[in-house]
Amino acid sequence: MKAYIRIIILTGALFGSSFFAVGQTNERAAGVRWAYGSGFSYREMITEKHAIEGIFTARWGGVALTGLFQRHHAFATVDGLFWYYGGGLHMGIHRRSNIRPNDNPAWEKPMLNVGADLIAGIGYRFDQIPIEFTLDFKPTISFTTTEWVPETFGLTGRWRF
């Protein structure tokens, strides 16, 4: 149990320190991400080319928080079109593994899920209205459970403010 507390404190410190970046810009966006783990997304540009994103999801009878650091690049030929890549960490507590209940006597046992995430995607920011859409690929691996989810494509719609 003490190992879980250490993991929670370390992950919380990493998430917390990533949201206090120096030289923040004013572009922020919040919205909904539709994927295998759908949830709410908040992204803030911390420099012209770097962003942090937090994703809150609820699934499997629990919740998870993902923190990502991203690098953004514009396409020179199309205004508003961009691509990005990055990575980060996730932490959550849920009551389900990917193993069927007949094969897993601990099906309903609460699990701590801490792991790493990668992300790569393409997006479009509208000029006339403060909306952006992104399509991404975000594989995850967990350090505390036996889960690896490589097929997590997501579509996110955000309101910029």
Side-chain angles (χ1 to χ4, degrees):
M1 187 63 162
K2 290 182 181 182
Y4 284 142
I5 294 171
R6 287 184 198 137
I7 291 171
I8 290 170
I9 291 170
L10 177 62
T11 305
L14 289 173
F15 281 137
S17 65
S18 69
F19 288 103
F20 293 103
V22 177
Q24 294 183 352
T25 66
N26 290 331
E27 187 174 324
R28 297 175 179 94
V32 178
R33 182 174 193 270
W34 297 277
Y36 179 60
S38 294
F40 298 101
S41 168
Y42 174 81
R43 179 171 21 201
E44 183 166 340
M45 298 301 293
I46 55 176
T47 69
E48 188 176 312
K49 292 189 176 193
H50 298 94
I52 54 173
E53 181 177 4
I55 303 170
F56 176 79
T57 57
R59 67 175 181 196
W60 298 337
V63 295
L65 178 64
T66 302
L68 298 166
F69 180 79
Q70 302 168 351
R71 180 156 171 100
H72 288 234
H73 300 277
F75 281 102
T77 57
V78 180
D79 287 340
L81 191 63
F82 63 96
W83 64 281
Y84 60 95
Y85 61 90
L89 300 172
H90 69 267
M91 182 176 79
I93 297 175
H94 56 82
R95 301 178 81 61
R96 178 188 178 277
S97 74
N98 285 337
I99 302 171
R100 298 270 180 211
N102 297 341
D103 303 323
N104 184 4
W107 176 262
E108 290 297 322
K109 182 181 172 187
M111 296 182 216
L112 177 66
N113 186 348
V114 176
D117 300 73
L118 295 174
I119 192 164
I122 188 168
Y124 185 77
R125 290 183 182 102
F126 290 91
D127 284 337
Q128 303 300 323
I129 54 176
I131 294 176
E132 73 177 31
F133 288 98
T134 58
L135 178 64
D136 63 57
F137 176 66
K138 190 177 84 56
T140 67
I141 188 167
S142 178
F143 303 135
T144 57
T145 64
T146 58
E147 296 169 10
W148 180 61
V149 185
E151 69 283 346
T152 56
F153 286 93
L155 174 66
T156 306
R158 293 184 195 86
W159 182 269
R160 293 189 330 255
F161 52 95

